Amino acid sequence: MRMAKGVEWALHTLLNLDMIGGGPVGSAQLAEAHGLSASYLNKQLQQLARAGLVVSVPGPRGGFRLARPLEAISLLDVVEAIEGGAEAFQCTEIRCSGRIGELSPPPTGTCAVNAAMRRAEEAWRQALAAQHLSGIRTELDSSPMVRQVVRTALS
Amino acid sequence: MRMAKGVEWALHTLLNLDMIGGGPVGSAQLAEAHGLSASYLNKQLQQLARAGLVVSVPGPRGGFRLARPLEAISLLDVVEAIEGGAEAFQCTEIRCSGRIGELSPPPTGTCAVNAAMRRAEEAWRQALAAQHLSGIRTELDSSPMVRQVVRTALS
DNA sequence: GGCTTACTACTCGGATACTGCTTGTCCGAGTTCAGGGGG
DNA sequence: CCCCCTGAACTCGGACAAGCAGTATCCGAGTAGTAAGCC
């Protein structure tokens, strides 16, 4: 179970978009800031745009800008935008297959294994939803010097 | 991010091993119980054996049996046995690459993005570690009739 | 001089190949059991 | 009658392919800005 690395890219890129301020920034510049593939980062940014986290501006001097402040963007928002909202553990109901399934009556209620895994996953989602990008920005050394570096790198 | 379906197979198989009792059961019978691929289930059982959750008995009338009671097996044990203990979110330290990495001084401390993701993952792991297979067995309808069905299916 | 218009350059957006991991399969090593032969 | 030995069958164990999701890339659609031409 490995999370797509696009999540890491998206998180850092969103933080950079916040540091640079208002105007839209092209995916090429955002990619160069961290030495990433511009085309692939563009793909991730499109998914963020579909999820309503960033706004895309077409045309020359276009790009992407934050759709809302970092305070209103949780880690869960970003993960679901990139990974999709599907559950990691997908119950295939093997309890209804094979000899046990044939010999047993159709089970009632949800699978206990599935329920337990979903409980754990719900804890993960809640922990993600409880953390917002504004908190990460605080943890980072967001001194004016760092912000200036980001602006220089994205100019 | 999709969890390997081997986790689901392993969980149901461990529960079946408990229901049938002491003697070792071959992977072929365990697979037939749920209509699974015997060879592939065998692969998963080997990983459970390496993790010390089951004991493998070679030779005719061999197979696998539980190494310890269900009360002593948590969901985390099973997930880590199948998936491996690696973190789902793997920080590639892109903050040190690209133009921002070149212009900024080497950062001190761990990446804030990585720390936040690990906090969420830790919540998930704790939720997994808090649930034991004995609890799932209780949730299941483990009436004598069901147990008899499992024994018949594995005979 | 001001306005309109066509052009150019630049951006996003989606369709298209490639790679690594999960999934699935196969055959060999090792062990137990059974049967036959000898003491 | 009891013991030993040989063989066979069955199991785990690891090495070997196939399928799919994630990864990476490229080219087309659309738009803002610009410059030239016209009134």
CSV table of all heavy atoms in Angstrom, one decimal, chain B residues 69-116:
chain,number,residue,atom,x,y,z
B,69,PRO,N,-3.3,-17.5,20.0
B,69,PRO,CA,-4.8,-17.3,19.9
B,69,PRO,C,-5.1,-16.0,19.3
B,69,PRO,O,-4.3,-15.1,19.2
B,69,PRO,CB,-5.2,-17.3,21.4
B,69,PRO,CG,-4.0,-17.0,22.2
B,69,PRO,CD,-2.8,-17.6,21.4
B,70,LEU,N,-6.4,-15.9,18.9
B,70,LEU,CA,-6.9,-14.7,18.2
B,70,LEU,C,-6.8,-13.4,19.0
B,70,LEU,O,-6.6,-12.3,18.5
B,70,LEU,CB,-8.3,-14.9,17.7
B,70,LEU,CG,-8.5,-15.9,16.6
B,70,LEU,CD1,-9.9,-15.8,16.1
B,70,LEU,CD2,-7.5,-15.8,15.5
B,71,GLU,N,-6.9,-13.6,20.3
B,71,GLU,CA,-6.8,-12.5,21.2
B,71,GLU,C,-5.4,-11.8,21.1
B,71,GLU,O,-5.3,-10.6,21.4
B,71,GLU,CB,-7.0,-12.9,22.7
B,71,GLU,CG,-8.4,-13.3,23.1
B,71,GLU,CD,-8.8,-14.7,22.6
B,71,GLU,OE1,-7.9,-15.4,22.1
B,71,GLU,OE2,-10.0,-15.0,22.7
B,72,ALA,N,-4.4,-12.5,20.7
B,72,ALA,CA,-3.0,-12.0,20.6
B,72,ALA,C,-2.7,-11.6,19.2
B,72,ALA,O,-1.5,-11.4,18.9
B,72,ALA,CB,-2.0,-13.0,21.1
B,73,ILE,N,-3.6,-11.5,18.3
B,73,ILE,CA,-3.4,-11.1,16.9
B,73,ILE,C,-4.2,-9.9,16.6
B,73,ILE,O,-5.4,-9.9,16.6
B,73,ILE,CB,-3.7,-12.2,15.9
B,73,ILE,CG1,-2.9,-13.5,16.2
B,73,ILE,CG2,-3.5,-11.7,14.5
B,73,ILE,CD1,-3.2,-14.6,15.3
B,74,SER,N,-3.5,-8.8,16.3
B,74,SER,CA,-4.2,-7.5,16.0
B,74,SER,C,-4.3,-7.3,14.5
B,74,SER,O,-3.6,-8.0,13.7
B,74,SER,CB,-3.5,-6.3,16.6
B,74,SER,OG,-2.3,-6.1,16.0
B,75,LEU,N,-5.2,-6.5,14.1
B,75,LEU,CA,-5.3,-6.2,12.6
B,75,LEU,C,-3.9,-5.7,12.1
B,75,LEU,O,-3.6,-6.0,11.0
B,75,LEU,CB,-6.4,-5.2,12.4
B,75,LEU,CG,-7.8,-5.6,12.6
B,75,LEU,CD1,-8.8,-4.5,12.2
B,75,LEU,CD2,-8.1,-6.9,11.7
B,76,LEU,N,-3.3,-4.9,12.9
B,76,LEU,CA,-2.0,-4.3,12.5
B,76,LEU,C,-1.0,-5.4,12.2
B,76,LEU,O,-0.2,-5.4,11.3
B,76,LEU,CB,-1.4,-3.4,13.5
B,76,LEU,CG,-0.1,-2.7,13.2
B,76,LEU,CD1,-0.3,-1.8,12.0
B,76,LEU,CD2,0.4,-1.8,14.3
B,77,ASP,N,-1.0,-6.5,13.1
B,77,ASP,CA,-0.1,-7.6,12.8
B,77,ASP,C,-0.3,-8.2,11.4
B,77,ASP,O,0.6,-8.5,10.7
B,77,ASP,CB,-0.3,-8.7,13.9
B,77,ASP,CG,0.1,-8.2,15.3
B,77,ASP,OD1,1.0,-7.4,15.4
B,77,ASP,OD2,-0.6,-8.7,16.2
B,78,VAL,N,-1.6,-8.4,11.1
B,78,VAL,CA,-1.9,-9.0,9.8
B,78,VAL,C,-1.5,-8.1,8.6
B,78,VAL,O,-0.9,-8.5,7.6
B,78,VAL,CB,-3.4,-9.4,9.7
B,78,VAL,CG1,-3.7,-10.0,8.4
B,78,VAL,CG2,-3.7,-10.3,10.8
B,79,VAL,N,-1.9,-6.8,8.8
B,79,VAL,CA,-1.6,-5.8,7.7
B,79,VAL,C,-0.1,-5.7,7.5
B,79,VAL,O,0.4,-5.7,6.3
B,79,VAL,CB,-2.2,-4.5,8.0
B,79,VAL,CG1,-1.7,-3.4,7.0
B,79,VAL,CG2,-3.7,-4.5,8.0
B,80,GLU,N,0.7,-5.6,8.5
B,80,GLU,CA,2.1,-5.5,8.4
B,80,GLU,C,2.7,-6.8,7.9
B,80,GLU,O,3.7,-6.7,7.2
B,80,GLU,CB,2.8,-5.1,9.7
B,80,GLU,CG,2.5,-3.7,10.1
B,80,GLU,CD,3.4,-3.2,11.2
B,80,GLU,OE1,3.9,-4.0,12.0
B,80,GLU,OE2,3.7,-2.0,11.2
B,81,ALA,N,2.2,-7.9,8.2
B,81,ALA,CA,2.7,-9.2,7.7
B,81,ALA,C,2.5,-9.3,6.2
B,81,ALA,O,3.4,-9.8,5.5
B,81,ALA,CB,2.0,-10.4,8.4
B,82,ILE,N,1.4,-8.8,5.7
B,82,ILE,CA,1.1,-8.9,4.3
B,82,ILE,C,1.7,-7.8,3.5
B,82,ILE,O,2.4,-8.0,2.5
B,82,ILE,CB,-0.4,-9.0,4.0
B,82,ILE,CG1,-1.0,-10.1,4.7
B,82,ILE,CG2,-0.7,-9.1,2.5
B,82,ILE,CD1,-0.6,-11.5,4.3
B,83,GLU,N,1.5,-6.6,4.0
B,83,GLU,CA,1.9,-5.4,3.2
B,83,GLU,C,3.4,-5.0,3.5
B,83,GLU,O,3.9,-4.2,2.7
B,83,GLU,CB,1.0,-4.2,3.6
B,83,GLU,CG,-0.4,-4.4,3.3
B,83,GLU,CD,-0.8,-3.8,1.9
B,83,GLU,OE1,0.0,-2.9,1.5
B,83,GLU,OE2,-1.8,-4.1,1.4
B,84,GLY,N,3.9,-5.4,4.6
B,84,GLY,CA,5.2,-4.9,4.9
B,84,GLY,C,5.1,-3.7,5.8
B,84,GLY,O,4.0,-3.0,5.7
B,85,GLY,N,6.1,-3.4,6.5
B,85,GLY,CA,5.9,-2.3,7.5
B,85,GLY,C,6.2,-0.9,7.0
B,85,GLY,O,6.2,0.1,7.7
B,86,ALA,N,6.4,-0.8,5.6
B,86,ALA,CA,6.7,0.6,5.1
B,86,ALA,C,5.6,1.5,5.3
B,86,ALA,O,4.4,1.2,5.2
B,86,ALA,CB,7.1,0.4,3.6
B,87,GLU,N,6.0,2.8,5.4
B,87,GLU,CA,5.0,3.9,5.5
B,87,GLU,C,4.3,4.0,4.1
B,87,GLU,O,4.9,3.9,3.1
B,87,GLU,CB,5.6,5.2,5.8
B,87,GLU,CG,6.4,5.2,7.2
B,87,GLU,CD,5.5,5.6,8.3
B,87,GLU,OE1,4.6,6.4,8.0
B,87,GLU,OE2,5.7,5.3,9.5
B,88,ALA,N,3.0,4.4,4.2
B,88,ALA,CA,2.3,4.6,2.9
B,88,ALA,C,2.7,5.9,2.3
B,88,ALA,O,3.0,5.9,1.1
B,88,ALA,CB,0.8,4.7,3.2
B,89,PHE,N,2.9,6.9,3.1
B,89,PHE,CA,3.4,8.2,2.5
B,89,PHE,C,4.9,8.2,2.6
B,89,PHE,O,5.5,8.1,3.8
B,89,PHE,CB,2.8,9.4,3.3
B,89,PHE,CG,3.2,10.7,2.8
B,89,PHE,CD1,2.6,11.3,1.7
B,89,PHE,CD2,4.3,11.3,3.3
B,89,PHE,CE1,3.0,12.5,1.2
B,89,PHE,CE2,4.7,12.6,2.9
B,89,PHE,CZ,4.1,13.2,1.8
B,90,GLN,N,5.6,8.2,1.5
B,90,GLN,CA,7.0,8.2,1.5
B,90,GLN,C,7.5,9.6,1.1
B,90,GLN,O,7.4,9.9,-0.1
B,90,GLN,CB,7.6,7.1,0.7
B,90,GLN,CG,7.2,5.7,1.2
B,90,GLN,CD,7.6,4.6,0.3
B,90,GLN,OE1,7.7,4.8,-0.9
B,90,GLN,NE2,7.8,3.4,0.9
B,91,CYS,N,8.2,10.3,2.0
B,91,CYS,CA,8.7,11.6,1.7
B,91,CYS,C,9.9,11.5,0.9
B,91,CYS,O,10.9,10.8,1.3
B,91,CYS,CB,9.0,12.4,3.0
B,91,CYS,SG,9.6,14.0,2.8
B,92,THR,N,9.9,12.2,-0.3
B,92,THR,CA,11.1,12.1,-1.1
B,92,THR,C,11.9,13.4,-1.0
B,92,THR,O,12.8,13.6,-1.8
B,92,THR,CB,10.7,11.9,-2.6
B,92,THR,OG1,9.8,12.9,-3.0
B,92,THR,CG2,10.0,10.6,-2.8
B,93,GLU,N,11.6,14.2,0.0
B,93,GLU,CA,12.4,15.4,0.2
B,93,GLU,C,12.5,16.3,-1.0
B,93,GLU,O,13.6,16.8,-1.3
B,93,GLU,CB,13.8,15.0,0.8
B,93,GLU,CG,13.7,14.4,2.1
B,93,GLU,CD,13.4,15.4,3.2
B,93,GLU,OE1,13.5,16.6,3.0
B,93,GLU,OE2,13.1,14.9,4.4
B,94,ILE,N,11.4,16.5,-1.6
B,94,ILE,CA,11.4,17.4,-2.8
B,94,ILE,C,11.7,18.9,-2.4
B,94,ILE,O,12.1,19.7,-3.2
B,94,ILE,CB,10.1,17.4,-3.6
B,94,ILE,CG1,9.0,17.8,-2.8
B,94,ILE,CG2,9.9,16.0,-4.2
B,94,ILE,CD1,7.7,17.9,-3.6
B,95,ARG,N,11.6,19.1,-1.1
B,95,ARG,CA,11.8,20.5,-0.6
B,95,ARG,C,13.3,20.8,-0.8
B,95,ARG,O,13.7,22.0,-0.8
B,95,ARG,CB,11.5,20.6,0.8
B,95,ARG,CG,12.2,19.7,1.8
B,95,ARG,CD,12.0,20.0,3.2
B,95,ARG,NE,12.7,19.0,4.0
B,95,ARG,CZ,12.9,19.1,5.3
B,95,ARG,NH1,12.4,20.2,6.0
B,95,ARG,NH2,13.5,18.2,6.0
B,96,CYS,N,14.2,19.8,-0.9
B,96,CYS,CA,15.6,20.0,-1.1
B,96,CYS,C,16.0,20.0,-2.6
B,96,CYS,O,17.2,20.1,-2.9
B,96,CYS,CB,16.4,19.0,-0.3
B,96,CYS,SG,16.0,18.9,1.4
B,97,SER,N,15.1,19.9,-3.5
B,97,SER,CA,15.4,19.8,-4.9
B,97,SER,C,14.9,21.0,-5.6
B,97,SER,O,14.2,21.8,-5.0
B,97,SER,CB,14.8,18.5,-5.5
B,97,SER,OG,15.1,17.4,-4.8
B,98,GLY,N,15.3,21.1,-6.9
B,98,GLY,CA,14.8,22.2,-7.7
B,98,GLY,C,15.4,23.6,-7.2
B,98,GLY,O,16.3,23.7,-6.4
B,99,ARG,N,14.8,24.6,-7.8
B,99,ARG,CA,15.3,26.0,-7.5
B,99,ARG,C,15.2,26.3,-6.0
B,99,ARG,O,16.1,27.0,-5.5
B,99,ARG,CB,14.6,27.0,-8.4
B,99,ARG,CG,14.8,26.7,-9.9
B,99,ARG,CD,14.3,27.8,-10.7
B,99,ARG,NE,15.0,29.1,-10.5
B,99,ARG,CZ,14.8,30.2,-11.1
B,99,ARG,NH1,13.8,30.2,-12.0
B,99,ARG,NH2,15.5,31.3,-10.9
B,100,ILE,N,14.1,26.0,-5.4
B,100,ILE,CA,13.9,26.3,-4.0
B,100,ILE,C,15.0,25.6,-3.2
B,100,ILE,O,15.6,26.2,-2.3
B,100,ILE,CB,12.5,25.9,-3.5
B,100,ILE,CG1,11.5,26.8,-4.2
B,100,ILE,CG2,12.4,26.0,-2.0
B,100,ILE,CD1,10.0,26.6,-3.7
B,101,GLY,N,15.3,24.4,-3.5
B,101,GLY,CA,16.3,23.7,-2.8
B,101,GLY,C,17.7,24.3,-3.0
B,101,GLY,O,18.5,24.4,-2.0
B,102,GLU,N,17.9,24.8,-4.2
B,102,GLU,CA,19.2,25.5,-4.4
B,102,GLU,C,19.4,26.8,-3.7
B,102,GLU,O,20.4,27.1,-3.2
B,102,GLU,CB,19.4,25.7,-5.9
B,102,GLU,CG,19.5,24.3,-6.7
B,102,GLU,CD,19.3,24.6,-8.2
B,102,GLU,OE1,19.2,25.7,-8.6
B,102,GLU,OE2,19.2,23.6,-8.9
B,103,LEU,N,18.3,27.5,-3.7
B,103,LEU,CA,18.3,28.9,-3.1
B,103,LEU,C,18.2,28.9,-1.6
B,103,LEU,O,18.8,29.7,-0.9
B,103,LEU,CB,17.2,29.7,-3.7
B,103,LEU,CG,17.3,30.0,-5.2
B,103,LEU,CD1,16.1,30.7,-5.7
B,103,LEU,CD2,18.6,30.8,-5.5
B,104,SER,N,17.6,27.9,-1.1
B,104,SER,CA,17.4,27.8,0.4
B,104,SER,C,18.6,27.1,1.0
B,104,SER,O,19.3,26.3,0.4
B,104,SER,CB,16.1,27.0,0.8
B,104,SER,OG,15.0,27.6,0.1
B,105,PRO,N,18.9,27.5,2.3
B,105,PRO,CA,19.9,26.7,3.0
B,105,PRO,C,19.3,25.3,3.3
B,105,PRO,O,18.1,25.1,3.4
B,105,PRO,CB,20.1,27.5,4.3
B,105,PRO,CG,18.8,28.3,4.4
B,105,PRO,CD,18.3,28.6,3.1
B,106,PRO,N,20.2,24.4,3.6
B,106,PRO,CA,19.7,23.0,3.9
B,106,PRO,C,18.8,23.1,5.1
B,106,PRO,O,19.1,23.6,6.1
B,106,PRO,CB,21.0,22.2,4.2
B,106,PRO,CG,22.1,23.0,3.5
B,106,PRO,CD,21.7,24.4,3.5
B,107,PRO,N,17.5,22.5,5.0
B,107,PRO,CA,16.6,22.7,6.0
B,107,PRO,C,17.0,21.8,7.3
B,107,PRO,O,17.6,20.8,7.2
B,107,PRO,CB,15.3,22.1,5.4
B,107,PRO,CG,15.7,21.2,4.4
B,107,PRO,CD,17.0,21.7,3.9
B,108,THR,N,16.6,22.3,8.4
B,108,THR,CA,16.8,21.6,9.6
B,108,THR,C,15.5,20.9,10.1
B,108,THR,O,14.4,21.4,9.9
B,108,THR,CB,17.3,22.5,10.7
B,108,THR,OG1,16.2,23.5,11.0
B,108,THR,CG2,18.5,23.3,10.3
B,109,GLY,N,15.7,19.7,10.7
B,109,GLY,CA,14.5,19.0,11.2
B,109,GLY,C,13.8,18.3,10.1
B,109,GLY,O,14.2,18.4,8.9
B,110,THR,N,12.7,17.6,10.4
B,110,THR,CA,12.0,16.8,9.5
B,110,THR,C,11.0,17.7,8.7
B,110,THR,O,10.6,18.8,9.2
B,110,THR,CB,11.2,15.7,10.1
B,110,THR,OG1,10.3,16.3,11.1
B,110,THR,CG2,12.1,14.7,10.9
B,111,CYS,N,10.7,17.2,7.5
B,111,CYS,CA,9.7,18.0,6.7
B,111,CYS,C,8.4,18.0,7.4
B,111,CYS,O,7.8,17.0,7.8
B,111,CYS,CB,9.6,17.2,5.3
B,111,CYS,SG,8.5,17.9,4.2
B,112,ALA,N,7.8,19.2,7.4
B,112,ALA,CA,6.5,19.4,8.1
B,112,ALA,C,5.4,18.6,7.4
B,112,ALA,O,4.5,18.1,8.0
B,112,ALA,CB,6.2,20.9,8.1
B,113,VAL,N,5.5,18.6,6.1
B,113,VAL,CA,4.5,17.8,5.3
B,113,VAL,C,4.5,16.3,5.7
B,113,VAL,O,3.5,15.7,6.0
B,113,VAL,CB,4.7,18.0,3.8
B,113,VAL,CG1,3.8,17.0,3.0
B,113,VAL,CG2,4.3,19.4,3.4
B,114,ASN,N,5.8,15.8,5.8
B,114,ASN,CA,6.0,14.4,6.1
B,114,ASN,C,5.5,14.2,7.6
B,114,ASN,O,4.8,13.2,7.8
B,114,ASN,CB,7.4,14.1,6.0
B,114,ASN,CG,7.7,12.6,6.2
B,114,ASN,OD1,6.8,11.8,6.1
B,114,ASN,ND2,8.9,12.3,6.6
B,115,ALA,N,5.8,15.1,8.5
B,115,ALA,CA,5.3,14.9,9.9
B,115,ALA,C,3.8,14.8,10.0
B,115,ALA,O,3.3,14.0,10.7
B,115,ALA,CB,5.9,16.1,10.7
B,116,ALA,N,3.1,15.7,9.2
B,116,ALA,CA,1.7,15.7,9.3
B,116,ALA,C,1.1,14.4,8.8
B,116,ALA,O,0.2,13.8,9.4
B,116,ALA,CB,1.1,16.9,8.5
